């Protein structure tokens, strides 16, 4: 189980079923408008209700999957609540008190909720936008609560939670209760609450924010979450308070080790600010105080840092003793609040979306991350006596699978780029080699499974559409007869036992003939503007001559000065399957065997 990173979130009870609950004509259009409105405020988490009593479970799965796809595209995640948000325990024709008790004591949840939960968890357990499951929404027992009532509720938790964990063993699973005070007898509350949270099928706790009364009820939940080291979040954080008060409350929960808070924008009172789409569609008189949200969740100014020395910890507070949530690997980007700089424990700390990380030691003997704006250095200078520039190359340990030889013994310096194939000023974006976002999401459609073991087999330099950007060899080598892949045209250059492929070049550019010797400045073509997605040149390095059956990370053949330049460009490298911990940076990627078995996170699917 991984402790989630900090994020602010919203409850959107009608997100999946606004066509049924609010008579919205096109709910998917409304969903996109809602997430677009939330994104500028820094809100990256949504709590959704997955089922509706009048909708077939298979249709609920379809709607939920589409919503998760949308959230993933916007960099958000979701807590999926196995409820329609409307007291599903109440059945037509029954009194409220008897219905609640009968739902648990007579195991009526086995009729509909249990099979529906099995279906949706099985279908969506691997979705990258899924953060956690909850068994219901505000489940409770009517007072006076007896020990037998509470034991019946525990059986419900064991069966539903156990079912989820049997299908998704690494899942975060919460109960979806307001507080343990709602499901335990008053006279033995702490005893029953401790039993409830140690059943083994509750791995997430929700703690009530909101009013002082709700906080008092939730005090036991909060203490047990801390004592048992279970992740917890705060819900019902008051939206109607002023911006300063809301920001202060957000900080209180953040400092308490909560992994996030949830507000309920549909319940907000009239106030100044932007009217969000979910309120416009339902009632024009309701508005959300967007100014308060923005002040609480999003810093006014940010700086972008690149992790240079890792793994670097992300902590709940700017202290070495604070809880470490996870680690950042070299090459990762983070945006920090420019006003958050803090000196503590002999380090300089900055706060970012997920927590606090150290930039450097106060004496600057150790530097862990640098401002991205400073990472484009001047051209290398100096000479080795022959007129060639002097480069430093930091060794990188190479991971390998299914190879009969040790890749780490290869003569990497036999092939060393002295120039980037594309001028830095003309690069718009890059896609790294290996376990990339694109390979995970789209690789199957592009036959990465049959070609490069499900991973991206090269390094892409992206440029602006409509331009004719020249591509340089970047190395000393000899042109070979090109292969057929990577249309419209490609150029193959041999350097010792290595082959460099330059793919997706323009078909009408002057051809470099086989046998021609090239140097780093030789222009070998221009980038085609007709390439699918965006125009780019694909650089692929293969080994050994003459079979060239192994593909190797091009970053291994670049000196530090060129690697640093590439870190300054936008990329979506860090977006992979949940619970995947290998090959998480541009530098630690494996070698690829042409046509070998699929490896990486998608190999499990």
């Amino acid at each position: 189980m991984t402790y989630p990173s900090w994020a602010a979130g919203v409850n959107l009870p009608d997100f999946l079923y606004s066509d049924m609950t609010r008579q919205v004509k096109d709910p998917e259009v409304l969903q996109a408008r809602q997430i677009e409105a939330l994104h500028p405020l820094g809100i990256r988490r949504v709590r959704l209700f997955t089922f509706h009593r009048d909708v077939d479970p298979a249709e609920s799965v379809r709607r939920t999957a589409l919503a998760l796809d949308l959230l993933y595209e916007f960099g958000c995640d979701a807590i999926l609540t196995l409820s329609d948000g409307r007291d599903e325990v109440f059945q037509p024709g029954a009194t409220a008190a008897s219905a609640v008790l009968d739902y648990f004591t007579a195991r009526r949840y086995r009729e509909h909720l249990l099979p529906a939960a099995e279906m949706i968890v099985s279908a969506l357990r691997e979705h990258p936008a899924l953060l956690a499951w909850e068994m219901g929404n505000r489940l409770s027992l009517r007072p006076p609560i007896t020990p037998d009532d509470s034991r019946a509720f525990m059986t419900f938790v064991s069966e539903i939670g156990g079912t989820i964990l049997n299908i998704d063993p690494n899942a975060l699973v919460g109960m979806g209760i307001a507080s343990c005070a709602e499901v335990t007898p008053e006279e033995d509350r702490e005893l029953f609450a401790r039993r409830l949270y140690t059943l083994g099928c509750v791995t997430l706790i929700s703690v009530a924010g909101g009013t002082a009364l709700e906080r008092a009820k939730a005090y036991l939940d909060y203490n047990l979450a801390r004592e048992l080291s279970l992740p917890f979040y705060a819900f019902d954080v008051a939206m109607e308070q002023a911006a300063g008060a809301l920001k202060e409350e957000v900080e209180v929960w953040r400092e308490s080790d909560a992994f996030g808070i949830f507000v309920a924008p549909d319940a907000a009172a009239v106030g100044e600010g932007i009217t969000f789409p979910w309120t416009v569609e339902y009632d024009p008189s309701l508005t959300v105080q967007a100014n308060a949200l923005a002040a609480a969740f999003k810093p006014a100014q940010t700086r972008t840092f690149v992790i240079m020395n890792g793994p670097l910890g992300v902590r709940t507070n700017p202290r070495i003793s604070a809880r470490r949530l996870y680690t950042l690997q070299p090459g990762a980007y983070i945006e920090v609040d420019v006003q958050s700089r803090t000196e503590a424990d002999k380090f300089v700390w900055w706060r970012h979306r997920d927590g606090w990380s150290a930039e450097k030691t106060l004496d600057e003997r150790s530097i862990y991350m640098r401002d991205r704006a400073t990472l484009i250095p001047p051209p290398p200078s100096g000479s080795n006596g022959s007129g060639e520039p002097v480069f430093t190359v930091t060794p990188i340990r190479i991971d390998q699978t299914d190879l009969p030889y040790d890749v780490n013994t290869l003569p990497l310096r036999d092939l060393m780029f002295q120039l980037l194939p594309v001028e830095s000023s003309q690069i718009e974006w890059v896609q790294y080699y290996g376990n990339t976002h694109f390979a995970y999401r789209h690789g199957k459609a592009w036959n990465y499974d049959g070609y490069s073991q499900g991973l991206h087999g090269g390094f892409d330099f992206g440029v602006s559409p409509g331009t004719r950007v020249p591509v340089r060899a970047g190395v000393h080598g000899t042109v070979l007869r090109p292969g057929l892949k990577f249309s419209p045209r490609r150029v193959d250059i041999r350097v010792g036992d290595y082959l460099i492929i330059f793919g997706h070049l323009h078909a009408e550019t002057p051809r470099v003939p086989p046998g021609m010797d090239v140097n780093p400045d030789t222009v070998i073509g221009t980038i085609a503007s007709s390439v699918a997605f965006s125009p780019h040149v694909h650089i692929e390095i293969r080994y050994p001559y003459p079979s060239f059956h192994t593909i190797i990370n091009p970053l291994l053949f670049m000196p530090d000065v060129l690697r640093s330049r590439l870190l300054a460009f936008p990329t979506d490298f860090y977006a992979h399957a949940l619970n995947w911990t290998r090959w998480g940076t541009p530098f630690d990627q494996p070698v690829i065997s042409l046509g070998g078995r699929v490896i990486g996170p998608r190999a499990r699917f």
Side-chain angles (χ1 to χ4, degrees), residues 9-13 235-240 262-269 278 288:
V10 290
N11 277 311
L12 295 180
F235 65 92
D236 283 356
V237 172
M239 271 289 301
E240 61 272 14
F262 282 84
V263 296
D266 55 318
W278 55 83
V288 175

Side-chain angles (χ1 to χ4, degrees), residues 64-397:
T64 306
L66 290 175
L68 288 176
D69 288 344
L70 174 66
L71 293 172
Y72 185 72
E73 293 300 325
F74 278 87
C76 301
D77 57 32
I79 293 179
L80 297 184
T81 301
L82 303 178
S83 166
D84 63 4
R86 286 170 177 74
D87 294 326
E88 62 184 287
V89 297
F90 298 143
Q91 301 296 324
T95 63
S98 65
V100 168
L101 187 57
D102 188 49
Y103 186 77
F104 298 113
T105 58
R107 315 287 193 262
R108 286 170 53 186
Y109 52 82
R110 294 176 177 174
E111 299 174 17
H112 302 291
L113 181 62
L114 188 58
E118 291 176 339
M119 177 184 293
I120 196 167
V121 175
S122 297
L124 301 177
R125 65 187 180 90
E126 296 286 359
H127 200 289
L130 172 65
L131 175 70
W133 301 96
E134 286 188 332
M135 304 176 203
N137 180 59
R138 293 186 178 276
L139 298 179
S140 62
L141 299 171
R142 296 296 183 191
I145 301 171
T146 69
D148 286 342
D149 296 341
S150 190
R151 280 189 281 269
F153 182 80
M154 289 186 194
T155 301
F156 160 81
V157 170
S158 296
E159 292 191 20
I160 301 297
T163 296
I164 295 172
L165 288 172
N166 282 337
I167 300 170
D168 189 2
N170 295 315
L172 291 172
V173 182
M175 289 182 288
I177 60 173
S179 75
C180 61
E182 309 292 337
V183 293
T184 56
E186 184 175 1
E187 60 273 17
D188 291 312
R189 178 146 296 151
E190 183 171 353
L191 174 64
F192 274 81
R194 190 176 296 277
R195 289 178 182 173
L196 189 61
Y197 286 131
T198 56
L199 286 172
C201 51
V202 177
T203 57
L204 171 71
I205 293 179
S206 53
V207 178
T211 67
L213 176 60
E214 289 171 332
R215 290 181 182 178
K217 290 181 178 179
Y219 191 67
L220 183 55
D221 302 89
Y222 172 77
N223 281 342
L224 287 174
R226 298 292 297 269
E227 177 185 329
L228 300 172
S229 297
L230 290 175
F232 67 95
Y233 71 85
F235 65 92
D236 283 356
V237 172
M239 271 289 301
E240 61 272 14
Q241 55 192 313
L246 180 57
K247 185 177 181 66
E248 182 177 345
E249 180 161 4
V250 170
E251 290 304 313
V252 168
W253 285 110
R254 191 167 188 164
E255 298 294 329
S256 73
D257 284 354
F259 70 79
I261 66 166
F262 282 84
V263 296
D266 55 318
V270 175
E272 296 180 358
I274 300 171
T275 301
F276 281 117
W278 55 83
T279 56
V280 171
E281 294 285 341
Y282 308 155
D283 185 347
S285 67
L286 292 177
T287 61
V288 175
Q289 292 177 295
N291 53 343
L293 276 174
F297 301 146
K298 186 178 180 183
Q301 291 181 301
T302 61
R303 291 172 62 188
T304 300
F305 279 88
V306 179
I307 309 306
M308 304 300 295
N309 184 9
L312 177 63
V314 177
R315 300 183 183 274
T316 56
N317 293 294
R319 296 287 188 275
I320 290 296
S321 59
R323 181 204 295 268
R324 187 167 71 176
L325 301 176
Y326 66 99
T327 57
L328 295 162
Q329 300 298 327
Y333 293 80
I334 56 172
E335 286 192 350
V336 305
D337 182 348
V338 297
Q339 298 180 346
S340 67
R341 187 182 187 278
T342 300
E343 295 183 3
D345 293 348
K346 299 182 180 180
F347 292 90
V348 176
W349 301 83
W350 296 88
R351 185 175 62 194
H352 49 97
R353 171 184 149 183
D354 293 342
W356 291 82
S357 295
E359 175 194 1
K360 58 186 177 182
T361 56
L362 287 176
D363 59 13
E364 297 192 353
R365 291 185 178 180
S366 297
I367 307 293
Y368 306 107
M369 58 185 184
R370 293 187 183 276
D371 191 319
R372 190 176 73 174
T374 68
L375 281 180
I376 303 180
S381 60
S383 171
N384 60 8
S386 63
E388 297 292 340
V390 175
F391 293 106
T392 59
V393 182
T394 301
I396 300 173
R397 181 72 186 175

